Amino acid sequence: MYSFQNDYSEGAHPNILRALETINYHQNNSYGLDEHCDNARDKIQEALENYGVDIHFITGGTLTNLTFLSHALRPYEAVISADTGHINTHETGAIEASGHKVLSIPCTDGKLTADLIRPVLKQHENEHWVEPRLVYISLPTELGTVYTKEELEKLYQFCKRHNLYLYIDGARLAMALAVEETQLTLKDLPDLCDAFYIGGTKNGAMFGEALILVNDDLKDHFRFNMKQRGAILAKGWMIGVQFEELFQDNLYLELGKRSVALAQRLKEGFIDCKIPFLCDSPTNQLFPIFPNEFAKKINENYVTTFQCKPDENHTCLRFCTSWATNEQAVEDFIKDLKQWSYIYA
Amino acid sequence: MYSFQNDYSEGAHPNILRALETINYHQNNSYGLDEHCDNARDKIQEALENYGVDIHFITGGTLTNLTFLSHALRPYEAVISADTGHINTHETGAIEASGHKVLSIPCTDGKLTADLIRPVLKQHENEHWVEPRLVYISLPTELGTVYTKEELEKLYQFCKRHNLYLYIDGARLAMALAVEETQLTLKDLPDLCDAFYIGGTKNGAMFGEALILVNDDLKDHFRFNMKQRGAILAKGWMIGVQFEELFQDNLYLELGKRSVALAQRLKEGFIDCKIPFLCDSPTNQLFPIFPNEFAKKINENYVTTFQCKPDENHTCLRFCTSWATNEQAVEDFIKDLKQWSYIYA
Amino acid sequence: MYSFQNDYSEGAHPNILRALETINYHQNNSYGLDEHCDNARDKIQEALENYGVDIHFITGGTLTNLTFLSHALRPYEAVISADTGHINTHETGAIEASGHKVLSIPCTDGKLTADLIRPVLKQHENEHWVEPRLVYISLPTELGTVYTKEELEKLYQFCKRHNLYLYIDGARLAMALAVEETQLTLKDLPDLCDAFYIGGTKNGAMFGEALILVNDDLKDHFRFNMKQRGAILAKGWMIGVQFEELFQDNLYLELGKRSVALAQRLKEGFIDCKIPFLCDSPTNQLFPIFPNEFAKKINENYVTTFQCKPDENHTCLRFCTSWATNEQAVEDFIKDLKQWSYIYA
Amino acid sequence: MYSFQNDYSEGAHPNILRALETINYHQNNSYGLDEHCDNARDKIQEALENYGVDIHFITGGTLTNLTFLSHALRPYEAVISADTGHINTHETGAIEASGHKVLSIPCTDGKLTADLIRPVLKQHENEHWVEPRLVYISLPTELGTVYTKEELEKLYQFCKRHNLYLYIDGARLAMALAVEETQLTLKDLPDLCDAFYIGGTKNGAMFGEALILVNDDLKDHFRFNMKQRGAILAKGWMIGVQFEELFQDNLYLELGKRSVALAQRLKEGFIDCKIPFLCDSPTNQLFPIFPNEFAKKINENYVTTFQCKPDENHTCLRFCTSWATNEQAVEDFIKDLKQWSYIYA
């Protein structure tokens, strides 16, 4: 049964496997202090056109988020997040476990704005309240939506005026950068936030994320906190090699484009069948809403993720494509969809 | 320059690379709930001859230790460790960062005994003191020494009588099991402790440890704490596949034997040259002591780890072999050693 | 300028001062293990008609809440609270600082119900989410509202069915018990929750709260966590003596009645002047809403607490009476109010 | 049975009780922002001859230590303490519970020196180790010993050279200042450390310590961390009033002198009877060593604290005097002692 469940159900891009095999018996320095990590850092800096950022490689997204946030915040400081933010929902309270409140803001499309944040700042006025100190956003959001370059600029200016760090969870950053309408490119990011991570796990790597520390205030002693959180891999070059490959010949961005293109092909299919969406996603996650029986039929033939029930009679499913999604499977699904839509729509 | 610096400077056993390549485009369940992890669990249970243990796969040793210990202990409870214990020295206070005191006990050979632990228990008598609740040992220890089966039996009986969990850090477990004199085998372990981990990183895996929960009291909700600590890998099968290979045809134990055999070949070389040792290690880490000039000469030609200076005129270096250590390099080193020993010893 | 700002701006009931003076030179056991604490425990058990509860004395409310909650919860467990709950707003993230997420539920009157909690439970379905384990309510709430005995019964039954502890923050418990309509009495409480505290600070004590642990599962090793949090007072009898006095001849309940009666006298005054309220409070905190100019006039002559601005032209102030509020001051204020209401209403 | 068990078994100096009674019905600002706290701050600054320090009032010593230390340290930073240090033994792991390792150094007299600290710094060399950042000392130490002014100067200079904060736990500071030989006076302290606390609980107060923040780097947002730890008392003036009295007419120092003088009178008695000591204490805690039968006889007639058993046949008891110790009781005890020493010595 073909799966559109997520973008981390296949292995790694073949270039990565080949590279790991090639150097398998080389002796490397450990803990991310080897030449592959250094080389990957160089390539990422080049792609960012910024040679001042610090770059650390960490195995997964939750570990990256909790290590970074617990490093950035003093004990009484809190992080602001959309209520749908990954740290607020799907990380089992990892941020609170490191001692910090997540101030969640309800928002329909997963995106934060100055207007949404302002009242939270106003309410937190003295030492009886936590001090908001950092804004966490996901790009794309957990609902597949994206920020335009202009939106990010405004948000970051607001953050700087209010002494708030801005941190971008880029688990699927490549997919956001595949959306041309945002006018956002990789090299814009260091100017638009204090820190962000470039997600590898969901875009062609076996595992691994590259955390980019832009603001100098956030750089000091970071490796101490990494080690304390278990976030320094002994064979650190295993991630370095992967990012060397991902940042060779634009592979990282190309893989993101591929998965977005296939999702948008699916989207056309849904639109053709007049299937509505929970929200309008231009990236690789789609949230179509089906009559319950229609959803049931789909799930008997394809693997998807249950998202929610907008009402008693309808079911919203998440469809997710990846760098490895099979084109033919997409076309097959669209054919099935059209057929079933005659019966169930 | 050939390196005897550690046992994690080379990649992965070729069987592992081949297996990862074979399944690269398969679609797997995520978060360690896939068939490769399940299959690896079956194989490990079979090797342990124990089908009741819970098995979890985690990327590295520090992350395994902190996730397990913070799961096992209530806030006021503490862990007892040798002063040389990895959690007490080289994990940047990860256990304290999760809220728990490490009660360290000075000991010359890295090994704990009932006699060493008893006074600590006696001192911690009421609510003004932390409550010792768990004994942490490394096998082999950080000094390369091992516990015999009988020593472990006595220690575990003592722990059970005093309401202490016993946890074994098995980062190099394969190397301990390669020492026949201990009469300890893999299948003995579930009877000799409450939990332990089988280290992959230092014995042929790219990364990954298999945590074995034996005591039922320690099993409940463990995956919640894993997720909270960032210790659930999205593509969890990446570790599952590795342990499938390591537990195929005894590979895990064979790799351990190989690295120990090469270290013991080195040891013979040192003994031939009348080089004394910091302690007598039967495993893959050796701690020979050289006159300073001798050590300097070695380090100009080989990579080793500085251990300590026993006195002003001598230097103790750590030599470490691995599953991938080159036999010829060992012989070459011994030849060099003999030559240098005429000059510097 | 007379103050209706809060119920902790005056000292202690004279009986308490007298008792402390009487025993001043006695030599007492320390850390709450003295005869005054024991005697206070006896009196409280008698008032509760329950001799199985454990009773601990702690200096203040935030310290009581954080010590209890961090004791009750395992690392991945979370507490459910109304969004107005004291732990969610005015404790500077103390619960998160101890590692636990506060799942806050929006509600207009500060009160939780099964219907409000149920969707939260449903959402938290697996190890990617925190596990809701405890429901925190305030009685009276931060908006002065109360639960009836029947409401509490239903809520507690719901909690028990869903494996949730129920904990009552009784900072102003005496004021809730002064509201006859609820049919709730002190001795009902051990049957209606797993733990609660009887607030002294806001009802006649210098400082000090009595934490009542009802559920046996919550009793073990509690003093260890108290000590770790700095919540064991060296001269513990200082709180014991105070509760001896508060539970002599019903003083505790009488003081609560007195402050509620004076607040309700104020309430009549507001109603006479047709001043609306943010919510209908039968206890000692009132939330009248004034035209801005009216509020300004009041604040030039009396001390109150700013609550919020319901709209641009109106201001909601909190009026709070205490066990020590001056009756004549209440009457004087009402006279002023009536006069000003001609001008500003 | 008269008690020499500790210095916190009696109530408060009568001046304090009188002052609390006098202002009992005044309406005060809450949370330590009242005029009594401000006045106490002025008096303490005057006594310190330093008007730049920040002063915070906290109910007890453990709460003061944990609030300050968790404020001063970043997550990967550790505190150095003598192995006998209160934070290392009798605070149930409070510092570790806030995330920080206590690096304890064995020392016979409870006192730290540069020579003892230097090897610890050397060992902690990179991100695999915690970073030592603060030195904690007690003055007097838990063994009753004191630092001379010169010793403190040297220690602080060492700390500054090595980027270490120096923090003094002054639970019994008045008793250290009563020892003239040290040449240390209250006003020297702000020049000799980064922060310290002036203990009230053990020197005439009901409860309460005054934390003095000297180093500007430690002042920012401290009240946020206080509130988060439950260390802001609602009726904060209760401590302010006490320190107003303690710093009126030198009372604080006089009470310290009194308790030390009585202890030294006891000491003479022990010396007359040729009773040896565990260590030579010039303050209000004495540690005489008795034959077991002698100790038993004493404990049948007086309350003391068991300290340790130096060998099988001897018992070391702690004798402690306080501001309220009865002179006659001291003389009575000495008479008893002399009599018993004929029989048991």
Side-chain angles (χ1 to χ4, degrees), chain C residues 124-231:
Chain C
H124 290 76
E125 59 188 348
N126 62 26
E127 66 262 32
H128 294 259
W129 299 78
V130 290
E131 178 116 319
R133 184 69 177 91
L134 187 147
V135 172
Y136 164 97
I137 62 171
S138 310
L139 183 61
T141 71
E142 293 73 11
L143 295 174
T145 55
V146 291
Y147 292 79
T148 66
K149 185 175 174 182
E150 198 189 335
E151 286 171 338
L152 262 189
E153 281 168 350
K154 280 188 188 166
L155 183 59
Y156 190 40
Q157 279 162 24
F158 174 83
C159 285
K160 283 194 287 192
R161 274 199 308 277
H162 290 85
N163 195 33
L164 294 164
Y165 293 125
L166 180 60
Y167 170 64
I168 299 175
D169 182 330
R172 296 185 173 93
L173 187 62
M175 289 72 149
L177 297 174
V179 183
E180 286 180 19
E181 292 75 9
T182 63
Q183 304 199 292
L184 187 71
T185 63
L186 190 55
K187 69 177 171 43
D188 296 325
L189 286 170
D191 297 328
L192 296 175
C193 64
D194 296 290
F196 64 104
Y197 82 81
I198 300 174
T201 300
K202 291 171 180 171
N203 195 42
M206 281 179 163
F207 65 95
E209 329 292 327
L211 176 66
I212 316 295
L213 303 180
V214 182
N215 187 324
D216 286 343
D217 296 345
L218 296 169
K219 293 173 179 173
D220 186 45
H221 277 84
F222 187 72
R223 279 177 60 84
F224 283 73
N225 277 336
M226 277 181 74
K227 180 61 193 168
Q228 188 179 75
R229 297 295 179 177

Side-chain angles (χ1 to χ4, degrees), chain D residues 175-226:
Chain D
M175 290 72 147
L177 296 176
V179 183
E180 286 180 19
E181 293 74 11
T182 63
Q183 304 199 292
L184 188 71
T185 63
L186 190 54
K187 69 179 171 42
D188 296 325
L189 286 170
D191 297 328
L192 295 175
C193 64
D194 296 289
F196 65 104
Y197 82 82
I198 300 174
T201 300
K202 292 172 180 168
N203 195 40
M206 281 180 162
F207 64 97
E209 328 293 327
L211 175 65
I212 316 296
L213 302 180
V214 183
N215 186 326
D216 285 343
D217 296 345
L218 296 168
K219 293 174 179 172
D220 186 45
H221 277 84
F222 187 72
R223 278 177 61 83
F224 283 73
N225 276 336
M226 277 180 73

Side-chain angles (χ1 to χ4, degrees), chain D residues 245-261:
Chain D
E245 293 304 319
L246 289 173
F247 278 80
Q248 182 69 34
D249 300 332
N250 251 352
L251 180 60
Y252 184 74
L253 295 177
E254 291 304 321
L255 294 181
K257 277 183 196 166
R258 185 178 189 278
S259 66
V260 169

Side-chain angles (χ1 to χ4, degrees), chain B residues 12-13 17-18 20 31 46 97 105 122 125 167 174 179 193 200 224 248 290 315:
Chain B
H13 190 274
L17 290 183
R18 198 180 316 123
L20 286 172
Y31 305 121
E46 209 170 314
I105 299 181
K122 204 164 176 197
E125 59 187 348
Y167 169 64
V179 183
C193 64
F224 283 72
Q248 183 69 33
F290 303 94
T315 300

Side-chain angles (χ1 to χ4, degrees), chain D residues 300-332:
Chain D
E300 285 164 9
N301 292 274
Y302 292 90
V303 185
T304 69
T305 304
F306 171 78
Q307 178 74 10
C308 62
K309 287 195 64 65
D311 63 47
E312 217 176 305
N313 302 315
H314 291 81
T315 301
C316 176
L317 301 177
R318 186 183 76 162
F319 281 72
C320 197
T321 55
S322 83
W323 65 276
T325 295
N326 188 304
E327 275 183 62
Q328 189 55 50
V330 169
E331 298 306 326
D332 289 351

